[in-house]
Amino acid sequence: MYRLNYEQFDRDNQYIGNDLGAVMKEGKTVFKTWSPLATGVYLNLYLDGEGKSRLESLPMERLDHGVWYVEILRDLDGVFYTYTFEFDHKTRHETIDIYAKPAESTETLVRW
């Protein structure tokens, strides 16, 4: 069980940026999510929104303030994605991107 000093946690993990989710620019796609208690985060790319055609799963890099980041050097317009969050280096949970624009599927669609 975690004993957490919430004031310290807030100071250490507050993120004031406005760039969480998927952002495409200059021919590349940047993914950022916030999960300060995760021990690992993975970006999962899919061809469709049904979760049956995974292209790849990429580890994300932890930045400051609980933010996780990965940059793909290509435009991923129309590709679906999820994140897998790992806790305590063992428990994993796959979920959609809560910072994304909505799409009607079990994955999130990169769309501009």
Side-chain angles (χ1 to χ4, degrees), residues 29-97:
T29 310
V30 174
F31 294 87
K32 285 186 180 178
T33 192
W34 184 81
S35 186
L37 297 179
T39 52
V41 179
Y42 303 86
L43 172 69
N44 308 302
L45 300 175
Y46 294 90
L47 280 176
D48 63 36
E50 301 301 318
K52 298 177 181 155
S53 60
R54 184 182 292 179
L55 296 169
E56 57 188 324
S57 184
L58 304 166
M60 298 180 75
E61 176 184 349
R62 186 182 175 112
L63 303 177
D64 293 333
H65 306 288
V67 174
W68 294 82
Y69 164 93
V70 68
E71 181 177 304
I72 311 297
L73 299 177
R74 64 185 184 275
D75 183 325
L76 292 178
D77 188 22
V79 173
F80 292 84
Y81 70 99
T82 63
Y83 294 118
T84 297
F85 295 92
E86 177 183 272
F87 299 95
D88 296 323
H89 299 288
K90 57 185 173 193
T91 306
R92 290 186 178 192
H93 302 281
E94 186 172 6
T95 185
I96 62 170
D97 183 355

